[in-house]
Amino acid sequence: MFNKILVALDRSEMGRDVFEQALGLAKLTSAKLMLLHVLSLEESGSPDIMIAPHIDYYPGWNEQNFKLYQQNWETFKTESLQMLQSFSSQANTLGINTEFSQNSGSPGRIICDLAKAWNADIIVMGRRGHSGLTELFMGSVSNYVLHHAPCSVHVMHLPVRAKSAEMLTETTTAVS
């Protein structure tokens, strides 16, 4: 069965669902949890990146804008760490041995590297729902992990009701 479950989390609404499903699996199997958040510009809600490394050459970017970007990034980093601490505390309260890690870099690669280093039995993660051209250009973290993970991968999809509501909204907007 599963002894070590790596839980790849982001700050989306689905992140809580991913955590709760991994928590349930850990309860059933008495497994340890490793909660992981990867700091990445790919995550929705992350601060907008500075376009250029040489601020002086680009209009609109100055030292004040750079400092604001750094402050926003630090806030994002701190809030993400607080999410991990909160989830870890919840799991520990239920008697589940839980660790957490916050790393920076390419999410798919970091997830797979940690799964290998920690010797995870399974990775539990969500899927943003990109498809078609969006997935081609932006990539898919879950697709990368499925093809490169050293262990089993459980990918959660958006609930059918959420997808249906999104599609209904898009259809209604298109018809109007």
Side-chain angles (χ1 to χ4, degrees), residues 13-27:
E13 288 184 33
M14 182 179 259
R16 169 146 294 286
D17 294 338
V18 168
F19 169 71
E20 288 181 6
Q21 188 154 88
L23 188 63
L25 185 58
K27 283 183 204 174

Side-chain angles (χ1 to χ4, degrees), residues 138-159:
M138 291 185 66
S140 167
V141 174
S142 58
N143 190 39
Y144 180 92
V145 172
L146 282 168
H147 288 90
H148 295 90
C151 59
S152 298
V153 179
H154 174 69
V155 179
M156 289 182 56
H157 296 270
L158 289 172

Side-chain angles (χ1 to χ4, degrees), residues 23 66-67 73 86 106 164 167:
L23 188 63
F66 182 69
K67 285 181 181 177
W73 186 258
S86 173
S106 171
S164 299
M167 291 170 60

Side-chain angles (χ1 to χ4, degrees), residues 55 58-62 65:
I55 303 167
Y58 296 92
W61 278 106
N62 56 35
N65 288 343

Side-chain angles (χ1 to χ4, degrees), residues 163-174:
K163 283 185 181 180
S164 299
E166 285 177 23
M167 291 170 60
L168 180 60
T169 303
E170 289 174 9
T171 305
T172 306
T173 306

